[in-house]
Amino acid sequence: MTLHYIALLIAGLSVLTCKTWAVVDVSMEDWVDVSLKDQAVIPCIYTLKEPAKMIVWFTKLPGRDQSRRRIYYYDGQKKFIEEGSEYDGRINFTHSHEPQNARGSAILIINNVQLSDQREFICTVHNVSTDIGEGHTRLQIFNSPSLPVIEGMHTGVSVTVEEPSKVALCKVDDGYPRPNITWYKGRFPLQQSEDVKIMELVTTKPNGLFTVHSELYIKVKKTDEDALFYCEVKYFVPGGVRMKESKEINITVHYPTTEVTLSVNPHDRLIKEGDTVAIRCVGNGKPQPIFSFTHNGDELRSDEEMLLLENVKRSNSGTYVCQSFDLESGTSVEDSVNITVHYLDHIVVTPEQTVLDQDGDLTLTCNALSSLPTQTVWYKHDMLLVEGHVLELSNASYDTAGMYMCKVTVPSLPGLQELKSVQISVRGKPKITMEIAVNKADRSVNLTCHAEGYPSPTITWTLSDLWTGQPVPMPEVEDQKTDTGVLSMISVRAKSKLTVYCSAANEFGTANVSHKIAASARVKTTQATSTKGGGSGVIIAVMILFLLLIAILGSILYFLYKKGKLPCGRSGKQDFMKEKASKDDIVMEMKSGKSEEVVLLQGVNGDKMSPTE
């Protein structure tokens, strides 16, 4: 490869210096470029018919005297490297001669090139006649620097400063020869001017490499806050010039506030009482100035640019003013905004609570003061009655009694609504109803007595043995108030036939209902009766007389059967006894006025009642 390199050098030699002493011509390049730590090849081409008698290589020492130091020589047979020199162990030598062309070459090879090798190298060629030819080459060393590092100033720069201010620093290390730094704003290079100053500091490190610091000073404008700044480093390499760019940075530009803007959140809907409202004040300067807020002329406490109003009231309506004060420029500007807090007052219902006589009439009105148009509706038990402020009640009955609800809403502002209830009572003696439910699990009977009327009736329960008439201990009673009266509940598990009485009374009269419960949860029910005062004794006496008549009738029938007077054949008896009764069946007997109805109920185990039961 060395011979190939030599041939190329000989073929392209155009910039060689040539010095001729006697008949020996020596040609060398003016300089050879090489990168630090690489290998340098310095060719020495001479013209001589016979082989050279001696070839000697020298270097010029740095300093003023420019004295020579021999580093290598060749006497035609042996090669000698000067011991103790800085090139000991780092240099090699090759030699060739072409008699037919009368040319020869002597090539000096330097390994692991150092910065100290940047100097002049001299090649001398001696012939047998003691003629000497000499050539000179300067070795140029290069080292590529690191990537440039850019850093902006941590503090902002104000546009009000008249002189250029320092905005950025660019640094590049380990270059050789010295790298050059150029500043850019956008894609345009910055040059020294009245508004742009560039300060450079070049230092040489102990190893001989260069470090360059470049500081950029500019007179900033407001538009510079959007500009991108970077630095570019250009450096030499063997045979050319290369460049590297730093990252781009923004600089912080400070400028005074000339305008402030107020914004209200929520901004997309109306504000109602109870809302949280945030008023934000923003200036067009940088940094943000000091803000102060006032409401209808009164100063308010705020968190810098934010004024937070929690659980607002209608009194929070009005004009809010934000005023800014710029410390640097001493200027002040302001902006204002009007806020309306909408409201809906509590509902007023007239009359609020009322009692009606049966067949009576009543007019209810519902009103609520609001800052916006409202809509009113009346409900009873979640059922819409009428739309509007007025509710008309006529021909009052117990069905009229109950809780009525008035609802006022603001259609244009959802969430703003009020509710008000009013209790309507209807005077009269109690109206009583009974409900019965059989619990199949434990064969107990749950009885519910509901009494309507006003004043609210008092319910009394009585349990007695059906045959003996003796009182039976009462189970636990649970009473509940209702919109129209009272609801009372008990649970009975009969071990023998029982009679259960429910009595409801108020100042207008008494209503009663009774139930007969047979053993194993068999139930007979008697229609409720209503009396003026204590008529329950008469009912009990009638029931006992009725039972005695049934017993007498049964005895007569039995006597006639024994005497053969009753036409009942054996087959009839067998049919009569055909089905076996189930002890788990439940019988309910309901008596109402002159008629009597016996209802066979399905037992707890699902069997049907037999005629014998």
Side-chain angles (χ1 to χ4, degrees), residues 81-122:
I81 298 174
E82 291 292 335
E83 295 182 359
S85 71
E86 66 268 34
Y87 297 101
D88 188 8
R90 288 200 298 130
I91 62 174
N92 292 316
F93 176 79
T94 63
H95 175 261
S96 65
H97 184 261
E98 300 176 1
Q100 64 274 20
N101 295 326
R103 288 190 177 184
S105 66
I107 299 176
L108 179 67
I109 301 173
I110 305 174
N111 297 309
N112 191 21
V113 172
Q114 305 296 315
L115 285 181
S116 58
D117 297 332
Q118 182 166 292
R119 59 180 66 177
E120 189 174 328
F121 290 82
I122 304 168

Side-chain angles (χ1 to χ4, degrees), residues 346-350 352 365-368 420:
H346 294 308
I347 293 174
V348 176
V349 175
T350 54
E352 287 190 1
T365 59
C366 175
N367 292 288
K420 183 65 177 289

Side-chain angles (χ1 to χ4, degrees), residues 3-13:
L3 294 176
H4 179 69
Y5 182 76
I6 294 172
L8 291 175
L9 290 176
I10 294 173
L13 199 59

Side-chain angles (χ1 to χ4, degrees), residues 1 41 58-59 65 91 130 150-151 159 161 267 312 340 380 404 423 440 451 485 505 507 527 539 588 608 610:
M1 183 173 180
V41 178
F58 297 91
T59 64
D65 57 355
I91 62 174
T130 68
I150 189 171
E151 182 179 358
V159 298
V161 178
H267 62 278
V312 294
T340 300
K380 183 182 182 184
Y404 289 78
Q423 175 68 45
K440 294 183 179 182
E507 63 185 51
Q527 179 69 26
I539 295 174
M588 178 182 291
K608 297 292 183 178
S610 69

Side-chain angles (χ1 to χ4, degrees), residues 273 295-296 298 300 309-320 339-343:
E273 286 189 325
H295 173 229
N296 296 336
D298 298 328
L300 304 174
L309 305 175
E310 296 180 311
N311 193 24
V312 294
K313 306 296 182 185
R314 66 194 72 181
S315 58
N316 293 119
S317 299
T319 302
Y320 289 83
I339 291 179
T340 300
V341 180
H342 294 283
Y343 59 89

Side-chain angles (χ1 to χ4, degrees), residues 406-470:
C406 173
K407 181 179 181 180
V408 179
T409 58
V410 178
S412 60
L413 188 49
L416 193 60
Q417 66 176 25
E418 288 288 330
L419 299 172
K420 183 65 177 289
S421 59
V422 58
Q423 175 68 45
I424 301 297
S425 300
V426 177
R427 292 188 188 93
K429 62 185 177 182
K431 177 183 176 183
I432 193 167
T433 58
M434 176 67 73
E435 294 181 2
I436 305 169
V438 179
N439 188 337
K440 294 183 179 182
D442 59 3
R443 299 185 180 180
S444 61
V445 179
N446 298 323
L447 298 102
T448 302
C449 193
H450 184 206
E452 296 179 293
Y454 187 85
S456 181
T458 301
I459 294 180
T460 304
W461 292 91
T462 303
L463 276 78
S464 62
D465 189 284
L466 180 63
W467 302 114
T468 65
Q470 295 297 320

